[in-house]
Amino acid sequence: MRKMIVGGAQMGPIQKADTREAVVARMLDLMQQAHAQGVTMLVYPELALTTFFPRWYAEDRADMDHWFEKEMPGPQTQPLFDLGRELGIAFTFGYAELTDDGHHFNTSLVTDRQANIVGIYRKIHLPGHVEYDPERTHQHLEKRYFEPGDLGFPVWRNEGVVMGMAICNDRRWPEVYREMGLQGVELITIGYNTPSVNSQKGGEGLRQRLFHSDLSLQSGAYQNSTYVVGVAKAGDEDGHHLMGGSIIVDPDGEVIARAVTEGDELIVAECDFDRCAFGKATVFDFARHRRIEHYQRIGTQTGVKLEV
Amino acid sequence: MRKMIVGGAQMGPIQKADTREAVVARMLDLMQQAHAQGVTMLVYPELALTTFFPRWYAEDRADMDHWFEKEMPGPQTQPLFDLGRELGIAFTFGYAELTDDGHHFNTSLVTDRQANIVGIYRKIHLPGHVEYDPERTHQHLEKRYFEPGDLGFPVWRNEGVVMGMAICNDRRWPEVYREMGLQGVELITIGYNTPSVNSQKGGEGLRQRLFHSDLSLQSGAYQNSTYVVGVAKAGDEDGHHLMGGSIIVDPDGEVIARAVTEGDELIVAECDFDRCAFGKATVFDFARHRRIEHYQRIGTQTGVKLEV
């Protein structure tokens, strides 16, 4: 058995006016709670340090650069690394990354239990749009402020587990889980900020949006025989409601922990990564069952081609 | 609106001793029931004409050829085509296909409302094993008796709808839905025979096996914004229990009809194929959101490569 107690640190809303210091203080508090429950791997949401700023339009993209991190850790995030090292908790969180050469990414990092950064992932499936859209009830300008990630879907062996990351809308794409599944992934962590209203379909409703999130996380876990942890930033950010619904999913696709609030809330589950082996050796033994000669559209054709 | 009333004709068990004539009579009865409810597209299970024979081992594979159809329609299946034409019901069912040149496939066909065969699909993801396995509680010898399908995942425009087919274990593979999704599919029909016990994991339980079926069908529907119809052969076949759980799923991944028995049972739902358009134009607008440069393992690497 390879057991690890994994925590999901759902975060309540972060207002525009909140400082990074105030946010990090909340994250430290969640880390202390996690330590008290024996957690050694803690997952925070996407864009954990700030409000979900892509909901606001700026004609000049540079006006948004203050939401981005130019160094990691920086002075405001260093306390997370210090406490992680002190408590022996590996952690992952999302942030807006501005690189030295001026590129903007929606990024997450993961550390080991000594607070060394083991790897970063840059979000590939950016939802939303580039220009201001007057038809929408609210804006979702990720395609304006970020470039698509350029690192693929890497996995790392971290604290004895093969793990990888995805961010928010990535979770709806089965290609994401499969790319990592083909590398033997056992734990996928996914932070998100998901508006509780579909900006183009008001009647969709919160129940159905939570269902779509669950469905994506659970099928990705089952079909690759991996644990999946989905962690929300939730609640009302300056009048814009984000859904919660953080869950930890086991390799059978079963939800084994679920957040019940829309605030800062820790969810915890003991994961035995040896449980990933059964599915990988039987129904999802890719080597025996996959037929790549019939999957050629997936990697060569981006959009729909209607030929009938 | 492009509305069609779709039926799933779940079938109860077929014993080894049952004749094809007796089975076809049951199928005709289900078709009459479907007609009474306005159904114009009716979906029968995998291997609808016979018992699920791959559970039995034959040292000489040719001893199993009597379970296969050498012509379609043949004298025993002609009544299905006759009644389908008379009632104006397009239908699809699965059968074991023995080709003129001696190939064996697990196949399904689909007709239009005039009982013309519009297309066939040959099952690609064959589960199970080739040789007798004394470790299993029961055998699952599909890899012994069938060759993997050689037709890919075609779609057809049939009765105004872009539709495709998959069979049983195919439904657990997101590649299947995506290959059809990339061709604009709006309706995927999937027949199955699924033992209610995992032959290698007795404790799995019927609830979890039904859950895995639902999860696969629902995520495939949602992530490709298509209707999916999953139809079981269910119940006790000569002491071997098959699970039921036939469902019709809408393009949001919601179950809109569900069988409650393990016998011959018709489920019905009105499908409006224009409802597929919203997802295809927004969150699953593949042309805008897919990033095939990061999907290269999926079509080029069959099994897991552990590199970390």
Side-chain angles (χ1 to χ4, degrees), chain A residues 125 175 178 207 254 295, chain B residues 125 175 178 207 254 295:
Chain A
H125 297 91
E175 292 90 345
R178 188 63 99 226
R207 185 207 64 78
E254 302 276 4
Y295 307 158
Chain B
H125 297 90
E175 291 90 345
R178 187 64 99 226
R207 185 207 62 79
E254 303 276 3
Y295 306 157

Side-chain angles (χ1 to χ4, degrees), chain A residues 124-128 136 143 148-153 155-157 162 169 171-175 178-179 181-184 198 200-201 204 207-208 211-212 215-216 218-219 222-223 252-254 278 282-292 294-306 308, chain B residues 124-128 136 143 148-153 155-157 162 169 171-175 178-179 181-184 198 200-201 204 207-208 211-212 215-216 218-219 222-223 252-254 278 282-292 294-306 308:
Chain A
I124 286 174
H125 297 91
L126 297 171
R136 292 178 187 247
K143 284 195 196 289
D150 58 352
L151 301 174
F153 296 101
V155 302
W156 303 271
R157 191 171 294 271
V162 180
N169 179 50
R171 74 193 187 282
R172 306 185 195 276
W173 299 85
E175 292 90 345
R178 188 63 99 226
E179 280 286 319
L182 284 164
Q183 300 171 78
N198 185 328
Q200 298 172 290
K201 191 182 183 186
E204 190 169 275
R207 185 207 64 78
Q208 192 168 71
F211 161 67
H212 286 162
L215 183 62
S216 299
Q218 292 180 269
S219 57
Y222 166 61
Q223 292 172 336
D252 275 311
E254 302 276 4
F278 180 77
T282 59
V283 65
F284 296 114
D285 180 347
F286 295 162
R288 271 197 297 148
H289 300 309
R290 294 182 80 244
R291 306 297 310 193
I292 60 174
H294 298 301
Y295 307 158
Q296 290 309 303
R297 287 181 186 84
I298 294 172
T300 61
Q301 177 186 322
T302 301
V304 172
K305 283 190 195 164
L306 205 57
V308 295
Chain B
I124 285 174
H125 297 90
L126 297 170
R136 293 177 187 247
K143 283 195 196 288
D150 58 352
L151 301 175
F153 297 99
V155 301
W156 303 271
R157 191 172 294 271
V162 181
N169 180 50
R171 74 194 188 282
R172 306 184 194 277
W173 298 86
E175 291 90 345
R178 187 64 99 226
E179 280 287 320
L182 284 164
Q183 298 171 79
N198 184 328
Q200 299 172 291
K201 191 182 183 186
E204 192 170 273
R207 185 207 62 79
Q208 191 167 74
F211 162 66
H212 286 162
L215 183 62
S216 299
Q218 292 180 268
S219 58
Y222 166 59
Q223 292 172 337
D252 275 310
E254 303 276 3
F278 180 78
T282 58
V283 65
F284 296 115
D285 180 348
F286 296 162
R288 272 197 297 148
H289 300 310
R290 293 182 81 244
R291 307 295 311 191
I292 60 175
H294 298 301
Y295 306 157
Q296 290 308 304
R297 286 181 187 84
I298 294 171
T300 62
Q301 177 185 323
T302 301
V304 172
K305 283 190 192 162
L306 205 56
V308 296

Side-chain angles (χ1 to χ4, degrees), chain A residues 48-284:
Chain A
L49 305 171
T50 66
T51 192
F52 185 71
F53 63 85
R55 70 168 68 92
W56 289 295
Y57 177 75
E59 191 176 333
D60 183 351
R61 289 170 173 78
D63 290 347
M64 289 300 201
D65 277 356
H66 66 285
W67 297 114
F68 285 73
E69 311 301 314
K70 293 173 195 68
E71 51 181 342
M72 187 56 66
Q76 294 151 325
T77 46
Q78 185 62 49
L80 283 168
F81 290 77
D82 294 341
L83 187 63
R85 187 180 299 109
E86 179 190 328
L87 301 180
I89 296 183
F91 57 91
T92 164
F93 66 86
Y95 58 101
E97 178 192 12
L98 177 50
T99 68
D100 290 342
D101 53 347
H103 292 288
H104 297 74
F105 296 106
N106 187 341
T107 300
S108 58
L109 64 80
V110 62
T111 75
D112 62 18
R113 294 180 65 183
Q114 288 75 48
N116 302 301
I117 295 177
V118 171
I120 66 168
Y121 165 74
R122 291 170 174 157
K123 184 174 181 177
I124 286 174
H125 297 91
L126 297 171
H129 48 114
V130 176
E131 299 302 334
Y132 187 84
D133 181 354
E135 303 278 303
R136 292 178 187 247
T137 57
H138 53 273
Q139 302 299 300
H140 201 113
L141 293 157
E142 288 193 58
K143 284 195 196 289
R144 182 175 187 82
Y145 301 128
F146 301 115
E147 298 162 63
D150 58 352
L151 301 174
F153 296 101
V155 302
W156 303 271
R157 191 171 294 271
N158 188 18
E159 302 299 342
V161 173
V162 180
M163 68 170 293
M165 297 184 277
I167 300 178
C168 196
N169 179 50
D170 284 323
R171 74 193 187 282
R172 306 185 195 276
W173 299 85
E175 292 90 345
V176 171
Y177 306 88
R178 188 63 99 226
E179 280 286 319
M180 291 190 263
L182 284 164
Q183 300 171 78
V185 77
E186 299 168 315
L187 172 65
I188 301 176
T189 64
I190 307 179
Y192 60 88
N193 285 251
T194 300
S196 59
V197 176
N198 185 328
S199 64
Q200 298 172 290
K201 191 182 183 186
E204 190 169 275
L206 180 57
R207 185 207 64 78
Q208 192 168 71
R209 289 176 69 75
L210 288 165
F211 161 67
H212 286 162
S213 183
D214 283 1
L215 183 62
S216 299
L217 296 165
Q218 292 180 269
S219 57
Y222 166 61
Q223 292 172 336
N224 294 279
S225 199
T226 179
Y227 286 91
V228 173
V229 183
V231 178
K233 179 136 65 65
D236 184 334
E237 292 192 342
D238 292 298
H240 298 270
H241 189 233
L242 298 172
M243 69 182 216
S246 303
I247 55 176
I248 301 176
V249 184
D250 78 8
D252 275 311
E254 302 276 4
V255 175
I256 55 175
R258 185 188 293 276
V260 294
T261 75
E262 292 180 347
D264 292 3
E265 178 182 352
L266 181 71
I267 60 173
V268 172
E270 185 179 69
C271 300
D272 177 0
F273 294 99
D274 281 349
R275 284 193 55 214
C276 299
F278 180 77
K280 291 179 193 294
T282 59
V283 65
F284 296 114

Side-chain angles (χ1 to χ4, degrees), chain B residues 15 49 84 96 133-134 165 170 172 227-228 246-247 261 287 298 303 308:
Chain B
Q15 310 307 327
L49 305 171
D133 180 354
M165 296 184 278
D170 283 323
R172 306 184 194 277
Y227 285 91
V228 173
S246 303
I247 55 176
T261 74
I298 294 171
V308 296

